[in-house]
Amino acid sequence: MCGITGYIGSRDAYPIVIKGLQRLEYRGYDSAGVLLYDGSNAQVYKTKGKVADLQAVVPDLQQKGTICIGHTRWATHGVPNDVNSHPHVSNSGDLAIVHNGIIENYDTIKAELTQRGYTFKSDTDTEVLVNLIEEVQKVNQCKLGKAVQLALNEVIGAYAIAVFDQKKPDELVVAKLGSPLAIGIGENNSEFFVASDASPFIEYTKNAVYLDDEELAIIKVGRDIRIRKIHDDSQVSPEVQALQLNLSQIEKEGFDHFMLKEIYEQPKAIKDTYRGRLLPNEGIIRMAGVEEYIERFKSADRIIIIACGTSWHAGLVAEYLFEEIARIPVEVEYASEFRYRNPIITEKDVVIAISQSGETADSLAAIKMAKAQGAYVFGVCNVVGSSIARESHSGAYTHAGPEIGVASTKAFTTQITLLTLIALKLGKEKGNLANSDFHAHLQNMELIPSKVEKILKQDAAIKEIASEFLETPSCLYLGRGYNFPVALEGALKLKEISYIHAEGYPAAEMKHGPIALIEDGYPVIVIAINKGHYEKVVSNIQEIKSRKGKIIAVVTEGDVTVKEMADHVIEIPEVEEALSPLLTTIPLQLLSYHVAVARGCNVDQPRNLAKSVTVE
Ligand code: AGP
């Protein structure tokens, strides 16, 4: 859960790396640091706090450097402080490293190195790793690349690292296992960028190589990248990708926060996600990743959906979609539970892994286990070249574009869009869906972006409603059927960015306990669209009303019944129940956003959270 970045070339390296770190702060922001080589000396600057705090400790640099590596940290070993910040330097002072990941056997290695006379300033696993590389280099009298390769064969864990050796200051060595690493390639190999994702270098080059797990690369100006397999040093030919990202996608584009920008991007993100796949005129859904394994899907005994957090909520929506439309049994699993439960997995299982970042450690480990037991794994990710995407047998990318805000918004709606297309495709393939119904769904899906636009126009009204909930200690979210997962997601949004406790429940569950919470003024957000068991939700609202609860209801345009009972209503356009989560979630995203902003919370980087949970 850290961000690493680096530069080697002829430009002034420090400003490039600092700006890169700012773009990576969503991955962790406990501390930050850089190593800068100015042609004769390597200097490390690092501090607890954010990149802005790092800039405050770096003096006016007299001599520009052409090699720089940087790190923004999310603490895993060792509390966030100056000493534990990266880069870490080896005992000789020659080697420096930045690292994203966890070395699980660092304590054994540390004991061994201590016996050999090494000393350690920090509590981190990373400082152990850089001294292991130093020891391997000394014992084998080898260059940095070979030393890194040999050393990494001794470690257990996850890493994306960049290593610099002052004895050979014209190269960088990077390596990857379990954490993301992208290499930006300048024209004619005149410069190189390394980073946890492409955002630090996209304004300089769109050509990138994503290392695969267990790969190492030696980077030197004027020469092609040399990629090796870590376990046997065999050569790997680089696969250069032309990235579609552009900088404006990354910047906030005038919104106060990335989260709000990303909420407003949803009409486009949903459209981009079904573009080229949803073909109503041809009456088909085209998805190569599904078609390639269509028999596995059609003959599946069940679909196991594996995810965490918001992605898990998208999986719950998919359970309703697949069971109703494709008539395939579905189990939705928290990845962290699934991977340690010793589950029964057979070759007749289809696993769908849902992950915005594609780097969530629990989800990645869970699908590796499922694959090892014969399951076919389909990945639904948002980040091209991410670990889960590459670990899956096949998959489909949500085309949401970078999601910088820690709270997932457009990831959720684009995941549901993709999962809906898959359910419709399978329902059609399995003959469970009449042609007319299939076509109706396709046309209804095409109307979703404009319906989302319409809801976004209520932003100011929703902000008004939010102002009434700034001091509430907790609240309840209720929904039924397809909107039960949306109630869970709405509650997660509120608690993770405004720090107000919130719980989501199936509306009917209220009588089994949560109703005890209802008292005068207690806020309850109810999704009460005119589909599914609407009348039962109305009676739930009556029960809340009779106990003087304060009701915010998400209703279908024109609803009068609930309007008379609720304290506030937010109207959404008419929509079929199966597609309703794509609309009902929008008001809840805006509500949580405005509550959090009014409470002065750091909406894009909430306390204790990181965007991508790449360690357990
Ligand atoms: C949701 O707002 C959070 N950011 C978090 O729950 C997130 O959904 C979860 O960590 C899973 O991340 P992933 O989709 O990248 O795997």
Side-chain angles (χ1 to χ4, degrees), residues 259 306-313 354-364 380-383 388 403 405-409 411-412 415 489 492-493 496-497 606 609-614:
M259 181 179 176
I306 294 175
C308 302
T310 288
S311 298
W312 186 79
H313 296 150
I354 306 173
S355 175
Q356 186 285 129
S357 63
E359 299 300 343
T360 298
D362 283 322
S363 305
L364 182 59
V380 174
C381 296
N382 189 42
V383 177
I388 289 172
E403 186 176 70
V406 165
S408 265
T409 49
F412 181 62
Q415 286 164 351
E489 173 59 13
L492 175 62
K493 287 284 98 45
E496 70 173 327
I497 63 173
L609 288 176
K611 181 63 183 173
S612 177
V613 184
T614 55

Side-chain angles (χ1 to χ4, degrees), residues 5 27 42 62 119 125 129 151 157 275 348 351 359 363 365 383 387 406 416 454 458 485 496 575 581:
T5 188
R27 302 180 61 82
Q62 304 311 316
T119 57
D125 53 344
L129 180 54
R275 191 192 308 279
K348 296 285 283 174
V351 168
E359 299 300 343
S363 305
V383 177
S387 302
V406 165
I416 293 174
K454 200 169 177 190
Q458 298 183 65
E496 70 173 327
V575 66

Side-chain angles (χ1 to χ4, degrees), residues 188-207:
N188 308 322
N189 294 329
S190 57
E191 58 186 3
F192 293 94
F193 307 78
V194 294
S196 300
D197 67 30
S199 53
F201 59 74
I202 194 69
E203 64 190 276
Y204 304 106
T205 178
K206 292 193 185 292
N207 296 322

Side-chain angles (χ1 to χ4, degrees), residues 549-565:
K550 182 178 267 191
I551 297 157
I552 303 163
V554 178
V555 300
T556 305
E557 275 168 0
D559 182 300
V560 289
T561 309
V562 174
K563 208 165 194 170
E564 278 162 15
M565 302 158 67

